[in-house]
Amino acid sequence: MSELTLSPNIAGADDFYAELLAVHEGLTKDESDALNARLILILANHVGDRDVLRAALAAAQRSGGQGDE
Amino acid sequence: MNKIFEVPLYPYTKSPDQDAATPVRHPVMVVGAGPVGLGVAIDLAQQGVPVVVVDDNDKVSFGSRAICFAKRTIEIADRLGLGQPLVEKGVVWNLGKVFFDDRKVYDFNLLPEDGHRRPAFINLQQYYFEDYLVARVREIQSEGAPIELRGGNKVQSVTDQGDHVRLEIDTPDGPYTVEADYLIACDGANSPIRRMMGLDFVGRVFEDNFLIADVIMEADFPTERWFWFDPPFNPGQSALLHKQPDGVWRIDLQLGWDIDKEEEKKPEKVIPRLKQMLGDEVEFSLEWVSIYTFQCRRMEKFRHGRIVFAGDSAHQVSPFGARGANSGLQDADNLGWKLKMVLDGTAPETLLDTYDAERIHGADENIMNSSRSTDFITPKSQQSRIFRNAVLDLSEHFEFARPFVNSGRLSVPCVYDGSPLNSADALPGGPLRTRPGAPCPDAPLGNGFLLERLGGQFALLTVDADAPETVEIDGMTLHRIALSASEDGTGALAERYLGDAASAVYLIRPDQHVAARWTAFDADAVATALSRALGKEAAA
Ligand SMILES: Cc1cc2nc3c(=O)[nH]c(=O)nc-3n(C[C@H](O)[C@H](O)[C@H](O)COP(=O)(O)OP(=O)(O)OC[C@H]3O[C@@H](n4cnc5c(N)ncnc54)[C@H](O)[C@@H]3O)c2cc1C
């Protein structure tokens, strides 16, 4: 069973980030929301491991906004 | 209109009880001759327990109502002696299509597992199921089974007198009083008995209405289940089309909350809707229309002293996943043998509390599953709608998304994990699906099947293991069912009952759930496990 990777893991972070923004270009808010949801599901399925997914949900949950980290 | 609704099946006749000077006492009375009441009554009568069923009606239920009967229900019906007519009349289906908006996103084949006598499920109108139950009552009656069915008997009040229950019953000849050692309340979702006793029934009300229609179609539609999310003919809502016997099709249309129910039920309103759905050229006639509002809720406890609730009176679920009637039959299955043993004095009265524990576990599982389906079908927040639509869009292109699509999960029997009647698993390498608490899966045995060999008694099942042919424990006789993995060339028996083990001994309950299992026979271990399965020992 693997652990959730929370250290840098994408070679060419800037490039990926630009690609992520690019797929949203020209979309309405609704279309972007839909795309994000599809992306989350595709990535979650790729991960597959329920423990890792649970850790990812928790990491996303606790790192939101209020600077409580 | 189908004649079956019109025929009084058990018309009122006066019972000698009504003229008795002092109230007659029966060991068991069942209120409600729906699928659950009739099911538990047949089970008891077949075991020799005298039982009286009363219902204020005298006919089958009106309209198709429950239409999907799962394998486990058919297996229970086999034990009750009516599995065969169900399967002969029912429609078996494996193919389905899922539509989203104006397009088909995918189709599927359920590919049921081989090596079972019965199909994964059948579609059959509830009135046929009830008709066969009544026929079976008549059949066992003619063989001398102590079962009585009283139509036109409306229960007006019940009082628990500590060591028995007193009932006031109204009839066309006026009221009478009768008593029962135990009362089983199978009086449906609106249970008058539950209300008379002032008992809770809490849970979640889903603010939604469904139009349910049975239509008879001339066209040769395929035997498939079609489910629509957000179709053009019912925007923002869902729809289901499913085949029943006799060329009758079941159509469910979600209507939303703010509607005029009486208005929506009118044929001039229903027919144009259905034409939009089926296409103008399809000829059909309406057999039955109803509007269904549902809730997911249960009683806090199913057993209240000498009154035990079973079926819809105890719990209600959404229609998705066909869990209403199916779970009610599992209640009946669970209660029958326990009540028999308590009445016989073979088991302590506290065995009935395990009905509560096990079936509440089952009800919670059903409520969870049907709530999840409902949340997928009718998303309650903007975000859940976004994910729901994302799943459907992805499912058109990628197989991975299809398991997320939830238009109702097929009812599967509950595993009584953690039940006080289970003994610890002592079969290392044994399959998970036959762990203590699990219902026995069927398996082929040469020219027959395993479940028909199990019957309805406690049994000792051995697979490639030695054991005495009979074991006497505390005045009870356990019969051995000796099997060998080599009897089944398909390997299913070994896969389902041995796993990685070379041999196995199973203690099986009368409702065909596993109580305990070991690698080899050990008389003391079997005696302890049996005593535990009878509720005689507190959980270790
Ligand atoms: C419109 C509709 C559609 C449904 N669709 C589905 C479906 O698609 N799939 C599914 O699984 N389930 C469906 N259900 C639910 C399913 O029909 C029930 O789960 C099932 O009938 C429960 O059986 P039961 O024996 O517990 O109760 P019921 O079948 O409701 O039987 C209760 C009996 O008690 C009797 N009774 C009530 N009060 C008294 C009294 N005071 N004295 C004497 N007798 C009394 C009644 O006459 C009745 O015969 C539907 C129900 C309805 C109403």
Side-chain angles (χ1 to χ4, degrees):
Chain A
M1 215 140 294
S2 53
E3 298 250 312
L4 176 67
T5 305
L6 288 170
S7 54
N9 192 35
I10 299 176
D14 287 349
D15 291 340
F16 167 71
Y17 194 74
E19 283 161 11
L20 179 63
L21 292 191
V23 294
H24 283 281
E25 205 127 312
L27 299 189
T28 63
K29 167 85 167 99
D30 284 354
E31 288 165 345
S32 266
D33 285 349
L35 188 142
N36 278 338
R38 293 197 297 274
L39 185 61
I40 290 170
L41 291 165
I42 288 168
L43 295 176
N45 182 66
H46 181 80
V47 171
D49 187 322
R50 286 281 306 284
D51 290 328
V52 176
L53 290 171
R54 222 174 280 119
L57 290 172
Q61 201 169 29
R62 67 172 185 264
S63 53
Q66 274 75 51
D68 49 354
E69 264 294 271
Chain B
M1 185 54 70
N2 196 318
K3 276 211 310 294
I4 195 166
F5 302 137
E6 316 292 340
V7 188
L9 278 175
Y10 41 96
Y12 170 76
T13 53
K14 195 168 184 185
S15 149
D17 285 9
Q18 292 170 243
D19 295 323
T22 48
V24 175
R25 171 87 59 94
H26 298 279
V28 180
M29 291 193 64
V30 175
V31 182
V36 180
L38 289 173
V40 75
I42 292 171
D43 196 2
L44 288 166
Q46 285 191 155
Q47 300 177 71
V49 177
V51 54
V52 177
V53 185
V54 295
D55 199 299
D56 59 347
N57 202 337
D58 61 3
K59 302 183 186 68
V60 293
S61 76
F62 196 76
S64 56
R65 295 180 74 189
I67 61 158
C68 245
F69 292 92
K71 179 196 279 137
R72 179 67 188 154
T73 302
I74 305 170
E75 290 166 354
I76 294 170
D78 274 329
R79 209 166 54 68
L80 300 179
L82 60 126
Q84 201 51 32
L86 292 182
V87 174
E88 280 167 13
K89 184 74 190 176
V91 172
V92 177
W93 66 275
N94 290 311
L95 300 175
K97 291 197 172 93
V98 176
F99 300 86
F100 178 37
D101 198 352
D102 57 357
R103 62 200 203 276
K104 184 185 89 181
V105 286
Y106 68 97
D107 40 36
F108 60 85
N109 184 337
L110 293 172
L111 293 174
E113 185 183 63
D114 282 337
H116 293 258
R117 178 170 176 217
R118 296 311 189 185
F121 49 99
I122 56 168
N123 282 7
L124 183 74
Q125 295 89 327
Q126 182 169 329
Y127 48 77
Y128 279 123
F129 193 78
E130 292 180 16
D131 195 34
Y132 299 150
L133 283 162
V134 174
R136 180 64 184 158
V137 168
R138 299 299 176 221
E139 191 173 71
I140 61 173
Q141 250 171 353
S142 72
E143 294 160 6
I147 183 168
E148 207 190 309
L149 187 50
R150 298 185 188 166
N153 272 241
K154 185 178 173 107
V155 174
Q156 296 290 13
S157 77
V158 297
T159 20
D160 193 332
Q161 309 276 62
D163 64 344
H164 70 276
V165 181
R166 175 187 288 257
L167 295 92
E168 305 290 337
I169 296 179
D170 213 8
T171 74
D173 288 318
Y176 70 103
T177 304
V178 66
E179 294 175 351
D181 291 336
Y182 285 94
L183 178 84
I184 311 178
C186 308
D187 51 346
N190 296 319
S191 174
I193 296 180
R194 195 183 60 224
R195 268 186 287 118
M196 287 168 206
M197 294 174 67
L199 296 170
D200 60 272
F201 199 40
V202 291
R204 189 168 156 201
V205 179
F206 287 86
E207 296 200 334
D208 216 327
N209 289 292
F210 285 79
L211 179 92
I212 304 188
D214 281 348
V215 305
I216 301 176
M217 278 205 263
E218 312 298 334
D220 219 11
F221 258 69
T223 304
E224 297 176 356
R225 179 187 197 261
W226 290 9
F227 199 97
W228 286 264
F229 294 95
D230 199 4
F233 58 82
N234 199 19
Q237 314 280 10
S238 67
L240 170 71
L241 178 70
H242 219 174
K243 188 174 188 179
Q244 305 173 43
D246 307 334
V248 177
W249 294 81
R250 168 68 158 272
I251 293 169
D252 287 21
L253 282 170
Q254 186 192 0
L255 297 178
W257 188 234
D258 281 322
I259 58 154
D260 180 342
K261 289 193 195 182
E262 285 317 305
E263 194 57 30
E264 291 291 343
K265 260 201 294 204
K266 289 184 179 157
E268 58 268 33
K269 193 82 185 185
V270 173
I271 288 169
R273 263 189 196 284
L274 298 183
K275 275 197 184 306
Q276 264 183 304
M277 174 175 176
L278 302 170
D280 264 336
E281 59 292 349
V282 175
E283 300 275 337
F284 64 87
S285 59
L286 267 185
E287 184 179 68
W288 171 70
V289 180
S290 169
I291 296 209
Y292 190 86
T293 308
F294 61 82
Q295 356 226 288
C296 286
R297 51 185 189 171
R298 67 162 170 86
M299 299 178 72
E300 197 185 325
K301 273 173 38 192
F302 297 171
R303 177 186 176 208
H304 291 265
R306 293 192 164 245
I307 301 173
V308 186
F309 291 82
D312 274 16
S313 68
H315 46 74
Q316 234 192 320
V317 291
S318 86
F320 306 115
R323 285 160 193 273
N326 286 308
S327 68
L329 263 298
Q330 288 173 50
D331 291 350
D333 193 42
N334 192 285
L335 182 56
W337 68 271
K338 292 179 180 173
L339 196 49
K340 152 85 176 159
M341 300 226 163
V342 169
L343 284 164
D344 283 356
T346 319
E349 212 199 334
T350 47
L351 180 61
L352 295 178
D353 290 328
T354 68
Y355 163 78
D356 225 63
E358 293 184 336
R359 292 315 300 160
I360 281 176
H361 179 68
D364 285 347
E365 199 171 280
N366 285 322
I367 288 172
M368 180 189 75
N369 276 303
S370 84
S371 301
R372 285 177 173 177
S373 303
T374 310
D375 287 338
F376 190 86
I377 294 165
T378 59
K380 299 294 179 292
S381 71
Q382 196 192 2
Q383 197 56 52
S384 69
R385 183 172 293 274
I386 290 170
F387 274 115
R388 201 280 304 268
N389 291 348
V391 163
L392 290 168
D393 279 328
L394 288 167
S395 74
E396 185 174 3
H397 304 280
F398 308 115
E399 218 179 305
F400 90 82
R402 294 175 191 168
F404 290 120
V405 176
N406 190 343
S407 65
R409 298 281 180 233
L410 171 65
S411 162
V412 290
C414 175
V415 177
Y416 300 134
D417 281 320
S419 165
L421 304 185
N422 297 346
S423 295
D425 194 350
L427 182 66
L432 201 60
R433 67 191 285 185
T434 41
R435 66 189 183 273
C440 288
D442 209 354
L445 295 178
N447 45 20
F449 284 91
L450 173 61
L451 292 188
E452 54 195 10
R453 295 276 296 277
L454 290 184
Q457 309 286 325
F458 270 103
L460 201 61
L461 176 74
T462 60
V463 186
D464 295 320
D466 284 329
E469 282 319 301
T470 57
V471 189
E472 298 288 335
I473 303 167
D474 257 358
M476 257 179 80
T477 307
L478 269 185
H479 290 274
R480 173 190 182 202
I481 299 163
L483 303 177
S484 165
S486 62
E487 282 176 67
D488 165 29
T490 72
L493 180 67
E495 184 199 311
R496 292 168 200 173
Y497 287 87
L498 288 176
D500 297 328
S503 65
V505 175
Y506 283 80
L507 176 66
I508 304 204
R509 303 175 1 176
D511 58 6
Q512 304 182 341
H513 279 253
V514 174
R517 62 177 184 178
W518 309 268
T519 319
F521 175 78
D522 175 308
D524 288 341
V526 171
T528 308
L530 178 66
S531 152
R532 196 179 167 88
L534 289 169
K536 291 183 187 173
E537 277 176 32

